[in-house]
């Protein structure tokens, strides 16, 4: 990938999808928030684009949300333990610089990356985590599904099953990485790992919760809820 997306430029090219589209949910102005829909992307390329974007941003760079789906991949956080990959069936494993342990990304899962200037927003990481979780909880509540946090285990759960995972990285008071929401995907690769480092952790998805959203519609709705949470901060 050549370079990183900046104001007026698109993000990573989608694999086999139409060109990314973008919209403003907040701003322009101090709280400006640009949303980019990237389609289906390669994890490594998208990660590198986030690193480049964060390194190149200035005090005038607008914050962005990048919405995408990934080709099948396991990712391991900075402190992740390789033994949480239980079975190797050839799905790539990427050692990432985000927080958290191991998780799976694949088609039908919505990933939204939050590229935010935390200092400018006067936002602490713990507050951001709570805001991300609340955005998912609010989205599910719109469809009469009750969801909750579990203390000490970031993410969003419906009963004992995890429906959304999150991991962040902060550099120069700016963050990247974000949240993944299982929508309409093949969940079987989660059986090959200890999801988020927890043996036997169940996972679920919005389709199995009788929420009639496509991945694209879920991305749009979750981006809106994230913007609403950030606007309150």
């Amino acid at each position: 990938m050549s370079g990183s997306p900046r104001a007026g430029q698109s993000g990573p090219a989608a694999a086999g999808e139409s060109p990314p589209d973008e919209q403003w949910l907040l701003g322009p102005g101090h709280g400006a928030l640009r949303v980019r829909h990237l389609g289906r992307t390669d994890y490594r390329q998208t990660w590198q684009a986030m690193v480049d974007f964060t390194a190149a941003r200035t005090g005038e760079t607008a914050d962005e949300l990048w919405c995408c789906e990934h080709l099948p991949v396991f990712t391991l956080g900075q402190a992740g333990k390789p033994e949480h990959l239980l079975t190797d069936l050839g799905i790539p494993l990427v050692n990432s610089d985000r927080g958290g342990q191991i998780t799976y990304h694949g088609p039908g899962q919505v990933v939204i990356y939050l590229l935010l200037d935390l200092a400018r927003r006067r936002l602490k990481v713990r507050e951001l985590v709570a805001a991300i979780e609340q955005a998912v909880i609010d989205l599910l509540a719109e469809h009469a599904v009750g969801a909750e946090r579990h203390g000490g285990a970031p993410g969003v759960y419906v009963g004992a099953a995890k429906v959304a995972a999150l991991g962040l990285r902060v550099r120069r008071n700016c963050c990247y990485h974000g949240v993944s929401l299982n929508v309409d995907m093949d969940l079987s690769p989660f059986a090959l790992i200890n999801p988020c480092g927890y043996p036997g952790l169940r996972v679920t998805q919005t389709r199995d919760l009788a929420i009639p959203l496509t991945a694209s519609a879920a991305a749009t709705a979750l981006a809106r809820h994230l913007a609403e949470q950030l606007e309150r901060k």
Side-chain angles (χ1 to χ4, degrees):
M1 163 153 286
S2 60
S4 61
R6 301 179 188 176
Q9 296 180 314
S10 62
E17 300 286 343
S18 58
D21 79 344
E22 66 177 76
Q23 64 185 124
W24 289 94
L25 286 184
L26 297 177
H30 174 75
L33 183 65
R34 178 185 283 116
V35 180
R36 300 188 189 273
H37 296 272
L38 309 181
R40 192 165 294 174
T41 69
D42 174 80
Y43 180 84
R44 289 182 186 272
Q45 289 184 333
T46 311
W47 172 24
Q48 185 60 56
M50 288 190 287
V51 171
D52 293 345
F53 177 93
T54 302
R57 67 180 301 161
T58 71
E60 303 304 313
T61 304
D63 290 339
E64 300 196 357
L65 302 182
W66 292 1
C67 306
C68 65
E69 300 173 56
H70 284 310
L71 303 173
V73 64
F74 292 120
T75 66
L76 194 64
Q78 270 196 311
K81 298 179 180 178
E83 57 263 35
H84 288 307
L85 175 62
L86 306 178
T87 306
D88 183 359
L89 293 183
I91 296 174
L93 174 66
V94 175
N95 291 285
S96 179
D97 63 348
R98 62 164 175 81
Q101 288 284 336
I102 194 168
T103 195
Y104 170 72
H105 299 304
Q109 179 193 70
V110 168
V111 181
I112 299 187
Y113 292 120
L114 295 93
L115 296 102
L116 308 176
D117 185 329
L118 299 181
R120 186 170 63 199
R121 290 184 178 271
R122 297 184 176 88
L123 189 59
K124 298 184 184 303
V125 173
R126 188 170 298 179
E127 295 172 334
L128 176 59
V129 168
I132 295 170
E133 292 171 336
Q134 191 60 50
V136 176
I137 291 169
D138 289 348
L139 170 59
L140 299 183
E142 281 187 339
H143 297 273
V145 173
E148 60 191 12
R149 301 173 176 87
H150 285 181
V156 176
Y157 301 77
V158 177
K162 194 165 194 173
V163 69
L166 61 91
L168 298 168
R169 169 75 173 180
V170 178
R171 286 185 178 172
R172 299 167 53 231
N173 293 315
C174 296
C175 74
Y176 56 100
H177 291 295
V179 59
S180 61
L181 174 67
N182 303 331
V183 177
D184 188 0
M185 64 185 301
D186 176 8
L187 294 176
S188 63
F190 284 102
L192 307 178
I193 62 175
N194 292 325
C196 303
Y198 293 97
L201 178 66
R202 290 172 47 214
V203 294
T204 189
Q205 58 186 330
T206 57
R207 182 190 69 190
D208 297 337
L209 299 170
I211 297 177
L213 288 176
T214 64
S216 176
T220 298
L222 183 53
R224 173 173 52 84
H225 281 288
L226 287 167
E228 289 172 356
Q229 287 297 316
L230 291 171
E231 193 170 24
R232 296 188 181 115
K233 299 301 177 183

